[in-house]
Amino acid sequence: MKKLISLSIVFCLCCMLPVPVRAQELSESGRRNEQRADSLYRAYEFARAAAIYNQMALTAEGQDRKRLEEKAVFCQNGEAMLHYVSEPKVVTRKTLDKKDFFLYYPNISTVGHFVLRHDAAKNTSDTLFLPNDKNTIYYSARDSKGVWNIYTSRKQADGVWSAPQVLGNNVTSSGNDIFPFVSPDGKRLYFSSNGHYGAGGYDLYVSYWDDEKHDWGVAQNMGFPYSSPSDDFFFYITPDGKYAAFSSTRVLDNPSSRLYSTSRVVCYVVEYESDPIKHPATAQEAANIARLRNAANLTQQQRDSINNANIDKALEGVDRKTGVSEMDPNTRQITENYTKTVLAYRQLKKERGLLEDSMAGSRSAYSAIEQQLATEEDSLEIAVLKDSLKTLASRLTDNEATALNMDGQMREAEAQIRRIEEIFLSTGVSVPGNTLFETSEDLASEASDSSESPSDETDLSTILDKRAKVTENDGFVIERPKLDMDLTFKVQKKSVIVDGEDFPEGLRYQIKLITSAKKLNENSFKGFSPIFERTDNGRYVYSAGAFNSYSDAYKQLSRIRKAGFTAASIIAFEDGKAIPVAIARKKETASSSKNSAAKSKDKAGSFNVAVYTTGSSLESQVMKTLSSAGKDVAKISSDEGFKFIAGPFSSKAEAEALADKLKDITDKKVVIESLN
């Protein structure tokens, strides 16, 4: 299995990534109320947002109501997801264009290469990633309704990739499933979807390979902060397994923000954890973690541990430059403590400055909102402004507490530095030169530049700077799917489901069985085969058979209804496109008449039996008798209303026998028509 599964992704251009759609039918006050709920939703205040959405949905209609109810469901899911929040360590992040953000993923070119889409891989996006020396790929492609599904294909002995197969129900959802990626060990399939359980938009999911079932397991939402109320795309693990990257619109999709953009995403790189520890979080904690700021979500103890590790590494260069290693153990220990303390102090001072800048921004925003509130008259807008003030006040309170704590740590560090300097003076040891202690980054750079201690470490600050190349063509060829099955309608132990795209050309009838919000399997259709699956507005439509005539479909309709599909009905297609049944039957009759006319040249005579009626249907007994002769039955318009025709009969005697039966059971006009 490990040899077969690899990184395989199809990338979707900006046109398929969603753009926020503003409500069109709500009143101005209603739009403001929804915007207020949207702000709470983006702040992870799901319960408060859901209350507003549900209240508005009570009086909304049409698409507005549907949208509000959907948002309320997302809030309900989000509230549940707050119980399972992880805290990845952030390495770096960068804002990139949606159209090619995937090309900047770290070291992605080392495990494969990008090619422009081959014509044989129709319905995919323009760029495909092919793994190096692998025999199985996974990619996303659109079906006939424009819905994106994840497919798999295997490389065959002749070098041609097999016809793609859509993944099973555990992965395939009713929405779009995009950006599949298989972990280096072949055990995890990561992808993005807006059709599975989630908090709205595209979320990130993982499915685990089941060796016993030889299939992917049920897709699991990766939870906050990987998923978010915004759109989250393409989770990827670097070849060395150290880092993970994914992209999101979470800081760019708020129309009221100065950062708002519909053409950009932010790519985050974090330290990879195959099974991260998850814990409950408040809305405020989850929102703060979801910002994915470098070290902002770590405890002070964790930050100290990381800083000390970096300092220890930096000291490798300090030792060589200052001769610390030649000192006696006590003096060396004092010097190392001094170095660590100075570096920690300067890092703390830097973080304190950043925090002060953030607080200044919050204070400025608070003042501006207060001024706006003083002149605002609209009650809903006043409520929104007050909520904003409350949020800012809470943020300032937390930041001020953090600032006080940092100030205390800085004072302690300063006192410790002075104590160590006094020891240096009393023992005659010179204080290490200031040029060696500008920043921990400078020291790390000095250490790594030394010829005595070469380093293979990646410069994490530039990890997203290198753009992968895209080649025009490398001979990638994929088989076109071939339908190799008997389309004769039958009942068997297990139904066979066929993709709607494989429906045969020409004029055909089907029996529509059911429309479902979720994908159904072969056990749902009582053994009827073939079952064709199509999608319509995000719902699955299942129909049985591919009948050449209306009468053939009609003969099976009663049987299907008795089996439990009471709402079953006959539908019609021409060359795969749906058409009204009435039009299909007219075309069928015209075609039948044309064929009969051609045959009549070689026969002594040819006749139809016609029943005229002013209504649009016949009594069931009359229709049953009309169909009993085993001839095609068609319904067409006439001057008197409609006429139902059975035929053609090769002899007038056969036609007269049927006409006599009909006259015995109905008072409607029954006529024998010659086709000569």
Side-chain angles (χ1 to χ4, degrees):
M1 191 64 201
K2 184 175 181 180
K3 294 181 180 180
L4 297 179
I5 302 177
S6 62
L7 167 64
S8 319
I9 35 184
V10 158
F11 301 104
C12 317
L13 300 180
C14 294
C15 60
M16 75 146 291
L17 299 181
V19 176
V21 179
R22 186 180 180 185
Q24 299 295 322
E25 301 176 13
L26 292 178
S27 64
E28 182 64 27
S29 62
R31 283 196 292 270
R32 289 186 179 182
N33 221 17
E34 184 175 0
Q35 289 169 1
R36 177 190 178 195
D38 290 345
S39 297
L40 293 170
Y41 169 66
R42 280 191 290 268
Y44 291 72
E45 294 283 355
F46 299 117
R48 296 173 62 191
I52 297 175
Y53 291 137
N54 285 324
Q55 184 63 36
M56 293 180 66
L58 294 176
T59 56
E61 298 179 351
Q63 291 300 314
D64 282 330
R65 181 172 184 174
K66 181 179 179 181
R67 182 186 65 258
L68 292 167
E69 290 176 342
E70 186 177 63
K71 287 184 176 182
V73 171
F74 290 151
C75 288
Q76 181 180 349
N77 294 347
E79 188 73 12
M81 290 167 63
L82 287 176
H83 294 283
Y84 309 96
V85 179
S86 57
E87 297 191 49
K89 180 189 174 185
V90 181
V91 173
T92 189
R93 63 180 180 178
K94 187 173 184 179
T95 302
L96 301 167
D97 287 333
K98 277 183 180 177
K99 63 182 180 182
D100 63 359
F101 69 93
F102 45 84
L103 295 178
Y104 292 89
Y105 272 42
N107 299 325
I108 196 169
S109 293
T110 64
V111 291
H113 59 288
F114 297 94
V115 296
L116 295 180
R117 175 185 61 83
H118 191 279
D119 289 341
K122 65 178 182 178
N123 292 332
T124 68
S125 61
D126 285 351
T127 310
L128 177 72
F129 187 91
L130 296 179
N132 294 335
D133 303 323
K134 300 295 180 180
N135 297 321
T136 301
I137 62 173
Y138 292 80
Y139 66 92
S140 187
R142 287 173 293 192
D143 60 22
S144 60
K145 299 297 182 180
V147 178
W148 291 76
N149 300 309
I150 297 175
Y151 295 81
T152 184
S153 176
R154 294 190 62 184
K155 195 172 185 177
Q156 302 171 117
D158 58 0
V160 177
W161 293 84
S162 65
Q165 298 290 323
V166 68
L167 297 191
N169 297 339
N170 288 339
V171 173
T172 301
S173 72
S174 59
N176 292 321
D177 306 312
I178 57 178
F179 294 117
F181 165 75
V182 176
S183 61
D185 63 4
K187 298 299 184 182
R188 294 175 172 86
L189 170 67
Y190 297 94
F191 64 99
S192 303
S193 176
N194 63 359
H196 286 286
Y197 175 95
Y202 285 89
D203 276 4
L204 293 173
Y205 298 85
V206 60
S207 176
Y208 296 86
W209 181 256
D210 189 323
D211 285 320
E212 292 184 2
K213 296 181 179 179
H214 206 66
D215 195 8
W216 293 105
V218 176
Q220 302 175 25
N221 195 303
M222 293 182 66
F224 302 141
Y226 297 103
S227 296
S228 74
S230 301
D231 290 322
D232 307 288
F233 307 110
F234 185 18
F235 185 90
Y236 157 84
I237 304 170
T238 56
D240 58 12
K242 291 182 178 180
Y243 305 107
F246 63 97
S247 298
S248 177
T249 65
R250 64 188 63 186
V251 298
L252 302 172
D253 59 0
N254 184 357
S256 63
S257 169
R258 62 180 179 82
L259 300 176
Y260 176 71
S261 174
T262 60
S263 62
R264 309 274 279 174
V265 296
V266 178
C267 180
Y268 301 91
V269 178
V270 300
E271 290 188 356
Y272 174 64
E273 296 179 284
S274 59
D275 296 295
I277 297 174
K278 298 186 178 183
H279 60 80
T282 65
Q284 187 175 13
E285 289 171 340
N288 184 56
I289 292 170
R291 293 187 181 98
L292 295 171
R293 294 173 177 168
N294 294 38
N297 53 328
L298 300 178
T299 65
Q300 187 60 47
Q301 183 179 2
Q302 290 172 317
R303 284 197 292 268
D304 290 342
S305 176
I306 293 169
N307 286 337
N308 288 336
N310 291 335
I311 292 168
D312 286 336
K313 186 172 182 179
L315 281 170
E316 294 174 6
V318 176
D319 287 353
R320 290 190 295 273
K321 291 179 179 291
T322 64
V324 172
S325 59
E326 299 176 0
M327 298 178 182
D328 64 271
N330 291 335
T331 305
R332 174 183 168 83
Q333 183 63 49
I334 294 172
T335 304
E336 288 185 354
N337 288 342
Y338 178 85
T339 303
K340 290 182 179 182
T341 305
V342 170
L343 292 178
Y345 171 78
R346 292 191 174 179
Q347 178 64 26
L348 195 59
K349 187 175 181 180
K350 180 180 178 181
E351 293 176 359
R352 180 64 174 84
L354 293 174
L355 182 61
E356 186 59 39
D357 291 341
S358 175
M359 292 168 64
S362 296
R363 293 189 188 101
S364 177
Y366 192 97
S367 177
I369 293 174
E370 277 189 322
Q371 294 177 11
Q372 184 179 352
L373 186 60
T375 59
E376 184 60 51
E377 296 180 357
D378 183 272
S379 59
L380 286 176
E381 189 64 22
I382 289 173
V384 172
L385 292 174
K386 286 183 176 180
D387 277 346
S388 299
L389 285 178
K390 185 177 179 181
T391 300
L392 284 172
S394 177
R395 184 185 305 166
L396 280 168
T397 299
D398 292 342
N399 287 345
E400 286 169 356
T402 302
L404 288 173
N405 184 47
M406 294 175 74
D407 290 341
Q409 294 179 55
M410 289 171 64
R411 286 192 297 270
E412 291 178 5
E414 288 172 344
Q416 186 175 359
I417 289 171
R418 285 194 297 270
R419 288 194 298 269
I420 296 175
E421 287 177 348
E422 290 174 0
I423 295 174
F424 283 151
L425 292 174
S426 65
T427 58
V429 177
S430 299
V431 176
N434 289 336
T435 55
L436 293 178
F437 301 100
E438 292 300 323
T439 65
S440 59
E441 289 82 2
D442 292 339
L443 287 175
S445 177
E446 289 179 4
S448 63
D449 288 343
S450 171
S451 59
E452 297 178 18
S453 179
S455 173
D456 296 328
E457 290 296 319
T458 302
D459 183 357
L460 298 180
S461 65
T462 62
I463 199 171
L464 293 172
D465 288 348
K466 188 175 180 180
R467 186 179 189 274
K469 295 181 180 179
V470 180
T471 59
E472 185 172 351
N473 197 332
D474 72 340
F476 174 72
V477 179
I478 188 169
E479 284 183 340
R480 293 190 180 278
K482 295 179 181 179
L483 183 65
D484 185 19
M485 63 171 295
D486 181 10
L487 294 181
T488 304
F489 180 78
K490 61 184 73 69
V491 181
Q492 49 195 33
K493 290 184 178 180
K494 193 173 185 179
S495 299
V496 176
I497 298 180
V498 183
D499 194 304
E501 291 184 336
D502 293 323
F503 195 69
E505 295 183 352
L507 187 64
R508 297 286 191 277
Y509 297 91
Q510 284 193 292
I511 299 176
K512 180 179 177 181
L513 302 180
I514 191 172
T515 300
S516 173
K518 64 178 182 179
K519 194 178 182 71
L520 302 179
N521 58 33
E522 296 85 351
N523 299 321
S524 304
F525 303 103
K526 309 293 180 67
F528 294 127
S529 291
I531 301 296
F532 287 84
E533 178 186 85
R534 300 180 178 88
T535 55
D536 185 14
N537 292 325
R539 297 176 68 84
Y540 292 92
V541 180
Y542 295 92
S543 304
F547 302 99
N548 294 322
S549 68
Y550 180 86
S551 63
D552 290 341
Y554 186 82
K555 290 175 183 177
Q556 302 297 337
L557 181 60
S558 176
R559 180 182 189 180
I560 288 176
R561 285 177 174 173
K562 289 179 179 178
F565 299 96
T566 56
S569 61
I570 297 176
I571 55 178
F573 294 84
E574 185 173 35
D575 295 333
K577 295 183 179 180
I579 62 173
V581 173
I583 294 178
R585 298 198 65 185
K586 286 183 179 180
K587 291 187 175 186
E588 181 187 351
T589 301
S591 176
S592 177
S593 298
K594 184 177 180 180
N595 293 336
S596 297
K599 292 179 181 179
S600 67
K601 295 180 180 179
D602 300 323
K603 295 181 179 180
S606 187
F607 306 89
N608 280 342
V609 175
V611 180
Y612 287 79
T613 177
T614 56
S616 60
S617 62
L618 292 175
E619 296 87 351
S620 60
Q621 184 63 27
V622 176
M623 177 61 76
K624 184 176 181 180
T625 302
L626 191 64
S627 305
S628 64
K631 303 294 183 181
D632 290 338
V633 177
K635 171 186 172 184
I636 61 176
S637 300
S638 71
D639 294 338
E640 301 177 23
F642 295 89
K643 67 176 179 178
F644 290 78
I645 300 173
F649 294 88
S650 58
S651 68
K652 190 174 183 179
E654 290 178 308
E656 287 177 340
L658 176 61
D660 290 339
K661 291 180 181 179
L662 291 167
K663 291 176 181 178
D664 289 337
I665 61 174
T666 183
D667 56 357
K668 291 182 172 23
K669 181 179 178 182
V670 179
V671 177
I672 298 174
E673 299 176 340
S674 174
L675 300 179
N676 294 337

